[in-house]
Amino acid sequence: MRKQIIAANWKMNKDVNETSEFIYAFQNEMKGVVTAAEVVICPPFIALDTAFELLQGSPFKLGAQNLHFEEDGAFTGEISARMLKSLGAHYVIVGHSERRQYFGETDEIVAKKVKKALSADLKVILCVGESLAERDGGVTEKVLERQVKAALAGLTEQQLASLVIAYEPIWAIGTGRNATPQQAQDAHAFIRKTVAGMLGEHASAALTIQYGGSVKPENAVELLSQPDVDGALVGGASLKADSFAKIVKSSPKEIPTAH
Ligand code: PGA
């Protein structure tokens, strides 16, 4: 059985007050809703504390958007895994394409962050995905394979159980242009095959693979019904409580049996 996870990645949006407003509104939207999906909300660092307090007693989990790979020390402006843990974070997003693109995160850095987060008992949402030039150049699979292999190198099957992969084609992020359900399915199946080659069929069959990139209420049902799409990482459409709730409600109620 594979867990479905719908996560909100707010990026650099919402201050503390806006975070509170969202959480009240979202909990209202979700009253009485039965879903098999795990819901994760990833506000900016400054709102983690407030979000944690407001989410107490709810089934919704808290996630952060980034961490540093060192334990602690002279790294001005950075946040460690232990700090995130102390704020009640359950998940952390690692290797988002914006971090790779604008903040110079290499596969090597991403791998270090994955290990650090897991060692601190944080669950990881690892982002991978190709650029438009890479897709047009026919190297999508090559890029995905490189990113997955680098980030998962040396992990055990047990560690993999605390990791989620988000397939996020860069050309679909924030552009309004989502991957087609078939494009998503193909990439997810390829990622699953790559993980199977590293850690075995059993581990890869249980791995949650989210799709991210212009997910919205209008396309969520179709994307989420693909056999290898086990949830969504949502940016823009997660900023409004009603649209994020609609996406959560789009996830299939029954968890498909892993195949
Ligand atoms: P988007 O962002 O939904 O705004 O395309 C997704 C993401 O970057 O995680």
Side-chain angles (χ1 to χ4, degrees):
M1 297 246 283
R2 209 144 61 210
K3 195 191 255 185
Q4 298 175 45
I5 303 174
I6 311 286
N9 174 15
W10 288 354
K11 310 189 180 185
M12 197 173 75
N13 292 292
K14 295 196 190 295
D15 61 18
V16 171
N17 291 333
E18 291 160 338
T19 297
S20 307
E21 279 165 23
F22 176 97
I23 292 177
Y24 286 124
F26 179 68
Q27 286 182 323
N28 225 11
E29 296 277 347
M30 292 299 292
K31 257 191 203 128
V33 175
V34 179
T35 175
E38 179 156 277
V39 175
V40 183
I41 297 174
C42 305
F45 289 134
I46 54 98
L48 283 170
D49 197 23
T50 301
F52 179 72
E53 292 300 327
L54 295 175
L55 292 173
Q56 292 273 29
S58 86
F60 313 129
K61 300 279 196 299
L62 183 67
Q65 300 173 17
N66 184 29
L67 80 164
H68 194 272
F69 54 78
E70 291 290 349
E71 180 62 27
D72 45 37
F75 302 101
T76 302
E78 292 295 324
I79 309 274
S80 74
R82 198 165 54 84
M83 293 171 190
L84 296 179
K85 253 330 249 192
S86 75
L87 282 168
H90 207 84
Y91 282 88
V92 61
I93 299 171
V94 177
H96 189 281
S97 63
E98 286 150 16
R99 303 272 346 149
R100 296 180 191 252
Q101 206 176 336
Y102 306 135
F103 302 98
E105 287 195 15
T106 59
D107 284 336
E108 193 191 349
I109 293 172
V110 170
K112 284 191 196 174
K113 291 187 172 193
V114 167
K115 289 205 175 65
K116 191 65 196 176
L118 292 173
S119 75
D121 202 23
L122 282 164
K123 293 194 171 180
V124 169
I125 298 177
L126 166 71
C127 300
V128 299
E130 81 288 358
S131 66
L132 187 57
E134 288 162 342
R135 175 158 285 264
D136 289 346
V139 293
T140 295
E141 293 194 344
K142 227 168 139 174
V143 170
L144 295 178
E145 187 175 7
R146 193 200 74 226
Q147 292 176 336
V148 168
K149 284 193 168 163
L152 268 51
L155 295 195
T156 62
E157 190 175 336
Q158 199 189 352
Q159 285 175 308
L160 188 74
S162 295
L163 183 134
V164 173
I165 294 182
Y167 168 62
E168 298 206 309
I170 298 169
W171 47 272
I173 295 178
T175 58
R177 177 186 164 194
N178 60 286
T180 65
Q182 192 58 50
Q183 284 173 325
Q185 168 56 26
D186 290 348
H188 285 222
F190 177 77
I191 290 168
R192 203 177 296 290
K193 194 176 87 184
T194 305
V195 174
M198 297 178 75
L199 286 148
E201 293 284 344
H202 181 259
S204 90
L207 173 70
T208 295
I209 306 179
Q210 300 174 298
Y211 168 77
S214 298
V215 175
K216 35 190 181 260
E218 298 75 38
N219 59 22
V221 171
E222 222 191 337
L223 285 161
L224 292 169
S225 60
Q226 298 303 306
D228 282 290
V229 176
D230 315 311
L233 181 55
V234 189
S238 75
L239 294 172
K240 290 220 165 76
D242 59 342
S243 76
F244 186 56
K246 275 190 194 132
I247 294 170
V248 173
K249 291 174 200 167
S250 304
S251 84
K253 301 229 169 357
E254 296 295 319
I255 302 176
T257 314
H259 53 103

